[in-house]
Amino acid sequence: MTYQPFHIHGRTRKSRWLITVDHASNHVPAEINNGDLGLDPADMERHIAYDIGALGTSLRLGELLDAPVIASNFSRLVIDPNRGEDDPTLVMHLYDGTIIPANRYVDETEIERRKNAYYRPYHKAYADLVAERDNPIIIAMHSFSPKLNGRAPRPWEIGILHAPQEDRFAIPLIKRLEDEGDLTVGDNEPYAGHLPGDSVDTHCFSKEAPHLNALIELRHDEIDTEVKQHAWAERLAPILTDVLETTGL
């Protein structure tokens, strides 16, 4: 079977929603060091390699919202689809204190090859899905580690990232989540906003009329089993729908 750098689940679904999972997989394609970045297998199961739980949560959310889900099929350590093409962290040499052996001496020729093989096909498919929808609402699903090495524990179960170019949906979503009463909700936490050239910037903001969007970060201990993933999806779907209805966007 021919390797595909992305999967689209439910492409024929017709709602305005589109769910994206930039860091869905910890897969390393065979042409990269025989499918091995030189890390201990346990490291490939950590957050440094992919967003733990994000894919399972997104697949269930897509079913509930009648939304297609596009998911990468390569580890963020191969090349990070949530970075701009000129970002110096596009191919990481060191992540959260761990050296990535197969990336240590990567050169511009190999980076360009990875862009053409993995990064650009994913973004082409992403752009095509956006173009297929009238007035789309893009939900970018990610997860984050409860604690980075040498850092304080992160208290948020969920964070919503947004930028002033288009935050009409994200800001009411934060308020709606806070109204749940049992969540610590991050407003541009555990990270702040968006980076120039990242996925949301590329596909939502670089337009004459920016698309409605929210980047949702779930702490990965909240979604590290299928049961938890489905529970969060089933909690989020009516919240997202409610925000859309009450804002009239």
Side-chain angles (χ1 to χ4, degrees):
M1 186 175 179
T2 303
Y3 170 74
Q4 182 80 353
F6 60 88
H7 294 298
I8 298 174
H9 307 264
R11 181 162 202 156
T12 59
R13 295 171 184 161
K14 297 300 184 183
S15 75
R16 290 173 62 190
W17 305 98
L18 169 61
I19 300 169
T20 69
V21 199
D22 290 343
H23 301 142
S25 174
N26 60 357
H27 178 70
V28 180
E31 60 266 27
I32 296 178
N33 199 38
N34 295 314
D36 187 349
L37 291 173
L39 291 170
D40 186 287
D43 281 324
M44 291 302 298
E45 296 298 327
R46 294 173 56 216
H47 67 280
I48 64 171
Y50 72 125
D51 279 358
I52 295 165
L55 178 59
T57 307
S58 297
L59 292 178
R60 180 63 179 137
L61 187 61
E63 293 173 352
L64 295 167
L65 293 177
D66 192 35
V69 179
I70 181 169
S72 66
N73 189 29
F74 52 92
S75 172
R76 71 202 304 172
L77 297 178
V78 170
I79 190 167
D80 193 334
N82 193 33
R83 295 289 184 270
E85 287 206 17
D86 60 350
D87 192 304
T89 65
L90 185 65
V91 176
M92 295 289 281
H93 297 242
L94 176 74
Y95 197 161
D96 196 21
T98 299
I99 293 172
I100 318 304
N103 291 348
R104 189 167 186 173
Y105 301 110
V106 70
D107 59 16
E108 289 302 318
T109 298
E110 173 60 10
I111 291 173
E112 186 67 15
R113 189 196 70 78
R114 294 186 194 186
K115 287 178 182 177
N116 287 327
Y118 320 122
Y119 180 101
R120 288 173 180 147
Y122 171 76
H123 281 287
K124 172 63 164 61
Y126 188 152
D128 289 346
L129 282 172
V130 174
E132 289 171 9
R133 325 203 83 67
D134 291 328
N135 198 15
I137 310 166
I138 298 165
I139 302 298
M141 291 294 297
H142 291 259
S143 69
F144 64 94
S145 173
K147 184 179 182 299
L148 294 177
N149 286 331
R151 305 285 185 88
R154 290 159 154 177
W156 314 280
E157 292 89 7
I158 186 170
I160 306 300
L161 276 59
H162 56 91
Q165 297 98 312
E166 177 51 81
D167 59 10
R168 291 177 299 156
F169 184 81
I171 298 298
L173 177 58
I174 291 169
K175 179 63 168 62
R176 176 64 179 78
L177 288 164
E178 290 173 339
D179 287 346
E180 291 283 286
D182 62 339
L183 295 173
T184 302
V185 182
D187 181 344
N188 274 337
E189 297 286 0
Y191 316 104
H194 298 282
L195 298 170
D198 71 8
S199 287
V200 171
D201 181 67
T202 297
H203 296 285
C204 300
F205 300 151
S206 301
K207 312 286 181 184
E208 290 184 7
H211 300 308
L212 295 171
N213 68 86
L215 192 155
I216 298 178
E217 289 269 6
L218 286 164
R219 202 177 66 214
H220 71 61
D221 59 325
E222 291 280 317
I223 51 170
D224 56 3
T225 69
E226 183 177 273
V227 169
K228 293 179 184 179
Q229 292 159 16
H230 284 200
W232 259 106
E234 288 157 15
R235 184 173 191 176
L236 282 171
I239 289 172
L240 292 167
T241 302
D242 182 51
V243 172
L244 183 60
E245 290 176 352
T246 56
T247 59
L249 293 169

